[in-house]
Amino acid sequence: MRKPQKETEQSNRTITRRAMLVGTAQLALMGALGYRMQSMQIDQADEFRLLADENRINIRLIPPARGLIFDAKGVPLAENEQNYRIVMVREDAGDVEEVLGRLRQLVAIPDDVLADAIEELNRRSPFVPVTIMERVSWDDVAKVTVNAPALPGITAEVGLSRHYPLGADLAHVVGYVGPVSDFDLSRIDDQDPLLQIPRFQIGKTGVENKLERTLRGSAGTRRIEVNALGRVMRELDRQEGVPGADIQLTIDAELQTYVEARLEGESAAAIVMDLETGDLRALASAPSFDPNKFVRGISVADWTGLTEDPYRPLAAKTIQGVYPPGSTFKMITALAAIEDGVIDPEETVYCPGYMDVSDVRFHCWRRGGHGNINLHESLKQSCDVYYYDICQRVGIDKIADMARRFGIGVEHDVPLSAVATGLAPDKEWKRRVRGEDWRVGDTVNASIGQGYVLASPLQLAVMTARLATGRSVSPRLIHTINGVEQPTGAGEPMGLNENYLRRIRQSMYDVCNHSRGTAYRSRIVAEEARMAGKTGTSQVRRITPEERARGVTSNADLPWERRDHALWVNYAPFENPRFAVSVIVEHGGGGSAAAAPIGRDVTLQALYGGEPPLSAYPSNVRSRIAEQQERIRNRIAPGSDAASQA
Amino acid sequence: MSYLEYQVRYVPSGLRKLLYLNWPLIILLTAVACAGFLMLYSVAGGSASQWMEPQAKRFAMGLGLMVLIAMFPIWFWRNMAGLAYIVSLVLLVAVEFLGETRMGAQRWIDLGFMRLQPSELMKIGMVMMLAAYYDWLPLKKVSHPFWVLVPVVFIMLPVMLVLAQPDLGTSILLVVGGAAVMFLAGVHWAYFATVIAAGVGAVVAVLESRGTTWQILKDYQYRRIDTFLDPSNDPLGAGYHITQAKIALGSGGWTGRGFMQGTQSRLNFLPEKHTDFIFTTLAEEFGFVGAFALLVLYGLIILFCVISALSNKDRFASLLTLGVAMTFFLYFAVNMSMVMGLAPVVGVPLPLVSYGGSAMLVLMIGFGLVQSAHVHKPR
């Protein structure tokens, strides 16, 4: 059956015509494809090339080595210690369970640590190294390395971690580092990408915290090529970061260690400050804590122990603690009055043992009274009534003003956490904060450093330094940063009457060296080391009439937390002053008994640059001091005597 | 139907047929396949054994199959058209029950030595069926509504089965390929105009209905459309593949990054880099020059098919050749549009270049038919 010729021709014509149409459409579509190629590959090539590079190139940070912290003599206070960790790459391990099982036969891994590690192993991509255990010993590293063939995917790596060689002795000053937390990130305005590194260590307290940016340095970067899964294919280039700056503190570690040891057993603080430069040579708060525990991650038991201790080991009492300064404030009241001219230094006030001010009876510490007493005697014997009198003449605003000139109620610029401002109260303050008018009784209380007056041990040390020099010395904690000397705290002359200052200093000298001085028992007999000081006792709570009726008359009868705070300030040597010292013993009782001996010992230690000769002490206390010195020696370096003898 | 239907003056016989093969077409096919081998070598990261060697073996087999088919006279194949169509249809039904599910769609029948995709086979089966149908149908009945409905049924039967798999890409290819053969056979253009108008109307209705009370599609389906229209909306989700593909393409520039230097493919940013998205690697490594050259090669293959078809007076042979060419065209046009972000990702391989057995086999069978038509054309 042959198709008609005519139909075939017609069919061919149709097909040809239609094929041309289809062909044209196909050509048009291919043209569109070609045009699209052209526009993407030529017109937008740069844009897409950039996107491709962004795709494949990751920037990884190289954490810089944290700056070290030294004391004034170069003793390391915070250093970076190498530590070893065991790391596992899941995809190299094959059977993860079995390899971990073998690892556990070699290295003791706590169950919880292992559980965390397994969880992280399962969460991360198989090629990401996951830390199984940190801070393993060198022995364990050796075991892992020797058994490497049986432990596929497991390697020992070395890293840096912070270590504080002096431990608790400088915990409050140096502080400690810890892994950056979400809380830290929300609190600090810091765009540094280093903070995004998981478990990156940043300063949490103290100098570590306040000089974080200086110590941290800046991150280096590593440009790496990654594939779509994030696996590192190769390193393209690297730029080293800048390590953190080393910091030298003004602290004398040896003195600091001594002071911490001397304060042991008390809830106390003591400061040694260089009068010339304001350098803080010792800034001791007791009890203290081991900052290394925080770096490793403190256990709940340890943490509870620290927070529930009534002696508050975590508080840096030197700068954070504020106390009524008690009689150590009398110099301020006296200076305010004599500078103002309301009383002549030789003028006497009669002390019957009390003073009635608007129907309230204010007692002198000596119930029998001091009789007629002038400025010199009032300081030496710490008469209270004298100050009850003169404070009413000069008024609280001038006293508060004088207090602020001496650094009380003023925030000192030291790079430590939560530096307390204290309080030099005045009329305006009470109206503003309490909404009440100032009363005369408030002035009377303030005149002897009670009532609203609050000062930190640091402020008392600064006050003493300014009294001793007549210059507005301010504290300095940072000696050098990366070898660059920081400005000293030697201040300008305060413009006070030098004659009056000399009278105050003489009185303070007699406090220690006159037989009727309140700190005569804590005197120094070495001529070149004689000190001038002032005792203070600040009431935590009045003894109530009911208690008095029950026979409670002295501190010793009260529970610890209601006993008076013992305070002490001094500078030495008297003739050529070098150091200002302040001491507070929380609930220690009387300043002369509890705080002055500490001040004396610390002063001598600072002046002699080590253990002072017994000849510096009065002969009647030398045997007791000798025992004490030996005890402290043993506490600082246990067994060192035996070692030196052998 | 005998030999004598045609006004055959001379038809080669025996091995002489080899001389009458459409050699330029063979060379072009081989050139495209070689480009494919090169790219498979590259995306395997310099490994020949992973994809290149199996692909080369399959291509060699395909060439053999093509020549073998070309040795059989074209009228034999015309007589086989119905059988081919029915076998393909049966396999499509079988795949519903026996098929292996892969990537969420039932497409494969495991034959042991290879996995067969009946939907691929159907592309050739349907073209053969339609060509034979129009060869048989008297020319004046072509546009008669009943005789238009019959091929529509031929097309829609397999399309329904493929859609059920579900495989949208192949369905579209089948519909458009079948419609093209109908158009070429001379069915009145008004039918096509009506269907296209209805299609456009449906799309407009779907888009316009969004957010109204008579919304036609589900919300997630609209989101897919959004992603297609602007992949950057969802760069890590559904838009990820297409965004990465475009980056690879675009970053090729004029001459590309160099053989084996494409970062997008080497670092695994590209999806399906050895199958559907292989064109992106080629465009990345050889740039506009390489990509456009491939397009030209494809165009030449179409051109040689069209020349062969138009010089062939046999209606079946012409329609079959044009139908195969159209199928081939649809493969690469849809694939390239897809990877260049001009069409949604529907899963169509780049013909002769993408790694895969079924498509290669089916295309070589198709070109075998084209060769048979060429060798046995009435002279």
Side-chain angles (χ1 to χ4, degrees):
Chain A
M1 187 182 87
R2 180 180 294 178
K3 281 184 181 163
Q5 176 76 28
K6 190 177 145 224
E7 185 166 333
T8 304
E9 276 171 14
Q10 197 194 337
S11 152
N12 282 339
R13 267 202 311 280
T14 312
I15 289 176
T16 306
R17 204 167 54 234
R18 290 285 171 102
M20 286 302 169
L21 276 172
V22 171
T24 310
Q26 287 177 339
L27 206 61
L29 243 165
M30 283 166 66
L33 290 175
Y35 175 75
R36 176 75 171 177
M37 277 177 208
Q38 187 267 341
S39 74
M40 282 175 79
Q41 297 197 278
I42 293 163
D43 295 351
Q44 303 175 58
D46 292 342
E47 186 186 321
F48 281 117
R49 182 71 61 103
L50 192 71
L51 287 171
D53 284 346
E54 277 178 11
N55 249 348
R56 74 186 172 102
I57 295 171
N58 255 356
I59 293 180
R60 296 276 165 92
L61 296 173
I62 311 171
R66 195 173 174 84
L68 308 181
I69 302 177
F70 299 99
D71 89 333
K73 293 173 182 164
V75 177
L77 305 180
E79 53 192 16
N80 298 323
E81 203 182 43
Q82 286 197 331
N83 69 49
Y84 302 94
R85 56 180 183 266
I86 297 174
V87 170
M88 183 177 203
V89 177
R90 179 152 57 96
E91 69 173 2
D92 295 343
D95 189 340
V96 174
E97 297 272 311
E98 194 184 332
V99 173
L100 284 177
R102 276 188 234 139
L103 179 65
R104 287 195 85 175
Q105 289 171 6
L106 296 169
V107 182
I109 306 175
D111 285 335
D112 55 332
V113 172
L114 190 73
D116 287 352
I118 289 173
E119 195 203 332
E120 192 167 0
L121 274 170
N122 292 332
R123 195 156 38 87
R124 299 296 188 105
S125 301
F127 52 83
V128 174
V130 170
T131 302
I132 304 290
M133 194 176 163
E134 281 192 286
R135 287 169 206 285
V136 293
S137 67
W138 176 244
D139 279 358
D140 288 341
V141 172
K143 280 185 208 160
V144 167
T145 314
V146 168
N147 291 287
L151 300 168
I154 287 188
T155 47
E157 283 188 358
V158 64
L160 290 178
S161 70
R162 204 66 160 167
H163 179 67
Y164 303 102
L166 295 186
D169 287 345
L170 274 139
H172 294 117
V173 177
V174 173
Y176 54 84
V177 296
V180 61
S181 66
D182 290 342
F183 175 69
D184 293 327
L185 288 177
S186 68
R187 194 164 46 100
I188 52 181
D189 178 32
D190 191 339
Q191 300 300 313
D192 194 335
L194 277 171
L195 297 184
Q196 305 303 324
I197 297 177
R199 298 205 262 178
F200 184 75
Q201 304 264 303
I202 61 164
K204 297 285 187 174
T205 62
V207 171
E208 289 272 33
N209 175 250
K210 286 292 172 174
L211 292 176
E212 166 65 25
R213 299 301 292 267
T214 312
L215 287 164
R216 189 193 300 156
S218 56
T221 51
R222 215 153 62 92
R223 292 202 319 138
I224 50 171
E225 187 175 86
V226 297
N227 72 1
L229 297 172
R231 182 199 295 269
V232 178
M233 306 306 279
R234 65 191 163 123
E235 185 174 296
L236 298 172
D237 56 42
R238 70 154 62 205
Q239 194 177 13
E240 294 298 337
V242 182
D246 291 346
I247 288 176
Q248 187 174 34
L249 302 183
T250 57
I251 299 287
D252 175 348
E254 195 189 338
L255 181 64
Q256 172 85 12
T257 303
Y258 171 81
V259 179
E260 283 284 352
R262 180 65 183 83
L263 295 179
E264 198 171 68
E266 300 284 1
S267 175
I271 292 175
V272 180
M273 183 173 161
D274 188 306
L275 289 174
E276 285 302 315
T277 56
D279 284 2
L280 296 162
R281 310 307 296 258
L283 209 56
S285 176
S288 188
F289 61 91
D290 183 0
N292 293 310
K293 280 186 180 167
F294 283 83
V295 180
R296 285 176 212 135
I298 192 165
S299 71
V300 174
D302 284 344
W303 173 252
T304 316
L306 287 174
T307 48
E308 290 183 357
D309 188 331
Y311 282 23
R312 295 177 294 127
L314 291 174
K317 299 179 183 101
T318 46
I319 48 145
Q320 294 165 355
V322 287
Y323 311 90
S327 301
T328 58
F329 192 69
K330 283 177 181 165
M331 282 85 83
I332 301 297
T333 310
L335 260 182
I338 54 179
E339 277 277 331
D340 197 45
V342 294
I343 186 165
D344 185 86
E346 294 303 331
E347 189 181 331
T348 59
V349 168
Y350 180 71
C351 167
Y354 62 88
M355 176 183 266
D356 290 324
V357 181
S358 49
D359 299 340
V360 181
R361 175 158 292 189
F362 290 87
H363 288 279
C364 185
W365 68 270
R366 182 190 265 186
R367 297 279 150 176
H370 289 92
N372 282 316
I373 196 160
N374 65 5
L375 170 69
H376 177 73
E377 289 299 319
S378 76
L379 273 175
K380 189 170 86 188
Q381 300 182 41
S382 205
C383 171
D384 292 333
V385 170
Y386 181 84
Y387 295 91
Y388 297 158
D389 187 316
I390 64 171
C391 72
Q392 293 179 54
R393 304 194 207 174
V394 67
I396 187 63
D397 286 349
K398 285 187 175 140
I399 295 172
D401 192 46
M402 187 60 75
R404 282 191 282 267
R405 288 176 75 180
F406 277 87
I408 290 171
V410 175
E411 192 179 323
H412 292 302
D413 183 23
V414 285
L416 292 172
S417 312
V419 176
T421 315
L423 181 62
D426 55 19
K427 290 175 179 167
E428 193 274 332
W429 169 83
K430 193 176 180 189
R431 250 195 310 279
R432 180 165 47 83
V433 176
R434 296 256 162 150
E436 292 168 17
D437 281 339
W438 187 268
R439 291 180 306 179
V440 184
D442 295 331
T443 307
V444 171
N445 266 328
S447 71
I448 58 160
Q450 300 280 357
Y452 298 123
V453 187
L454 290 173
S456 68
L458 177 67
Q459 287 170 335
L460 294 178
V462 169
M463 175 191 81
T464 312
R466 291 181 182 179
L467 282 169
T469 58
R471 287 182 290 111
S472 49
V473 184
S474 49
R476 177 172 82 151
L477 183 60
I478 308 302
H479 189 195
T480 64
I481 294 178
N482 250 1
V484 179
E485 175 98 24
Q486 301 298 299
T488 71
E492 298 297 310
M494 295 171 76
L496 294 168
N497 187 323
E498 186 59 29
N499 188 33
Y500 295 154
L501 274 176
R502 208 173 300 131
R503 282 173 179 273
I504 301 275
R505 290 176 196 146
Q506 187 59 46
S507 309
M508 287 171 73
Y509 178 80
D510 284 353
V511 166
C512 301
N513 296 293
H514 190 277
S515 59
R516 292 176 71 183
T518 52
Y520 181 68
R521 274 176 301 162
S522 300
R523 70 192 177 280
I524 292 169
V525 296
E527 267 315 315
E528 72 282 4
R530 296 217 177 217
M531 59 180 184
K534 181 75 192 80
T535 55
T537 304
S538 74
Q539 277 185 347
V540 173
R541 223 189 113 189
R542 272 171 197 280
I543 296 173
T544 60
E546 297 83 63
E547 283 167 334
R548 212 179 288 280
R550 283 209 312 271
V552 176
T553 51
S554 72
N555 266 298
D557 300 327
L558 286 167
W560 176 80
E561 69 275 9
R562 285 183 47 203
R563 292 181 199 164
D564 296 341
H565 294 316
L567 294 105
W568 170 254
V569 298
N570 77 277
Y571 67 90
F574 178 68
E575 297 298 340
N576 179 27
R578 285 175 58 202
F579 296 113
V581 173
S582 74
V583 177
I584 172 147
V585 181
E586 286 190 343
H587 312 293
S592 56
I598 296 175
R600 171 199 60 196
D601 294 342
V602 167
T603 302
L604 281 171
Q605 193 81 14
L607 286 175
Y608 286 90
E611 196 171 276
L614 284 175
S615 58
Y617 290 92
S619 52
N620 61 332
V621 297
R622 283 178 192 161
S623 60
R624 198 145 38 82
I625 294 295
E627 278 170 36
Q628 176 188 302
Q629 284 180 349
E630 193 184 337
R631 200 168 62 240
I632 290 175
R633 267 202 305 276
N634 286 333
R635 187 274 191 192
I636 292 170
S640 65
D641 280 348
S644 60
Q645 279 162 16
Chain B
M1 300 182 198
S2 82
Y3 204 84
L4 299 172
E5 283 175 31
Y6 302 95
Q7 297 171 317
V8 178
R9 267 171 267 145
Y10 172 71
V11 164
S13 63
L15 289 177
R16 285 185 63 85
K17 287 183 180 179
L18 291 175
L19 287 175
Y20 286 83
L21 287 173
N22 193 346
W23 282 102
L25 189 61
I26 294 177
I27 290 165
L28 284 168
L29 292 173
T30 311
V32 170
C34 286
F37 303 155
L38 212 58
M39 293 331 296
L40 289 172
Y41 180 77
S42 173
V43 294
S47 154
S49 60
Q50 195 176 359
W51 291 315
M52 186 183 117
E53 277 176 13
Q55 179 85 344
K57 280 181 195 150
R58 275 199 292 262
F59 181 70
M61 275 170 57
L63 271 182
L65 192 61
M66 181 178 84
V67 173
L68 187 69
I69 290 169
M71 295 298 108
F72 288 86
I74 186 65
W75 43 90
F76 170 76
W77 294 118
R78 186 188 59 194
N79 295 348
M80 291 293 112
L83 188 65
Y85 178 81
I86 287 164
V87 167
S88 302
L89 204 60
V90 168
L91 286 174
L92 266 179
V93 176
V95 85
E96 283 294 306
F97 303 104
L98 306 172
E100 270 180 35
T101 302
R102 203 174 110 162
M103 295 176 75
Q106 283 188 331
R107 296 179 189 181
W108 305 86
I109 288 179
D110 203 336
L111 296 182
F113 65 96
M114 70 170 291
R115 275 176 304 196
L116 185 72
Q117 243 176 310
S119 62
E120 295 284 338
L121 213 53
M122 180 47 94
K123 284 172 189 158
I124 297 301
M126 196 181 71
V127 168
M128 285 173 79
M129 184 67 193
L130 288 173
Y133 171 78
Y134 281 110
D135 187 42
W136 165 79
L137 192 70
L139 208 52
K140 57 180 181 294
K141 290 184 182 168
V142 161
S143 291
H144 184 281
F146 175 78
W147 299 110
V148 170
L149 195 64
V150 172
V152 167
V153 171
F154 287 156
I155 295 170
M156 291 320 287
L157 226 52
V159 164
M160 289 302 171
L161 286 166
V162 173
L163 264 181
Q165 284 183 352
D167 183 349
L168 186 64
T170 307
S171 311
I172 291 169
L173 256 59
L174 283 172
V175 169
V176 178
V181 176
M182 289 173 71
F183 183 78
L184 288 163
V187 175
H188 199 278
W189 59 268
Y191 288 102
F192 299 97
T194 313
V195 170
I196 290 169
V200 170
V203 168
V204 170
V206 162
L207 292 182
E208 285 296 309
S209 73
R210 186 176 192 176
T212 64
T213 47
W214 49 284
Q215 181 168 311
I216 295 168
L217 297 183
K218 299 263 189 333
D219 279 338
Y220 76 90
Q221 289 170 315
Y222 282 107
R223 280 197 293 276
R224 281 190 195 165
I225 295 173
D226 286 344
T227 303
F228 158 61
L229 293 175
D230 186 3
S232 57
N233 274 343
D234 186 15
L236 291 178
Y240 178 80
H241 288 174
I242 198 64
T243 305
Q244 294 298 345
K246 283 166 80 176
I247 290 173
L249 254 145
S251 63
W254 262 108
T255 54
R257 301 207 139 185
F259 184 51
M260 309 250 307
Q261 300 296 315
T263 58
Q264 286 287 101
S265 57
R266 201 161 49 75
L267 301 175
N268 279 327
F269 285 101
L270 292 175
E272 304 276 323
K273 57 178 180 177
H274 63 293
T275 57
D276 292 357
F277 279 78
I278 196 163
F279 180 66
T280 55
T281 305
L282 182 130
E284 187 188 20
E285 299 193 349
F286 296 112
F288 176 70
V289 173
F292 197 75
L294 184 70
L295 190 64
V296 169
L297 283 179
Y298 281 138
L300 287 174
I301 289 173
I302 301 293
L303 185 67
F304 275 91
C305 287
V306 170
I307 290 170
S308 170
L310 295 188
S311 65
N312 199 328
K313 296 198 162 47
D314 181 37
R315 188 168 163 79
F316 173 74
S318 290
L319 286 175
L320 180 67
T321 305
L322 289 172
V324 170
M326 187 66 192
T327 304
F328 186 72
F329 172 81
L330 286 173
Y331 265 110
F332 74 78
V334 171
N335 179 278
M336 285 185 176
S337 307
M338 173 177 105
V339 298
M340 288 194 282
L342 293 172
V345 177
V346 285
V348 173
L350 191 63
L352 302 178
V353 176
S354 287
Y355 182 81
S358 280
M360 165 90 77
L361 189 75
V362 163
L363 280 169
M364 293 313 279
I365 291 173
F367 283 112
L369 295 169
V370 169
Q371 293 285 8
S372 172
H374 191 77
V375 170
H376 302 96
K377 70 179 164 192
R379 289 181 168 88

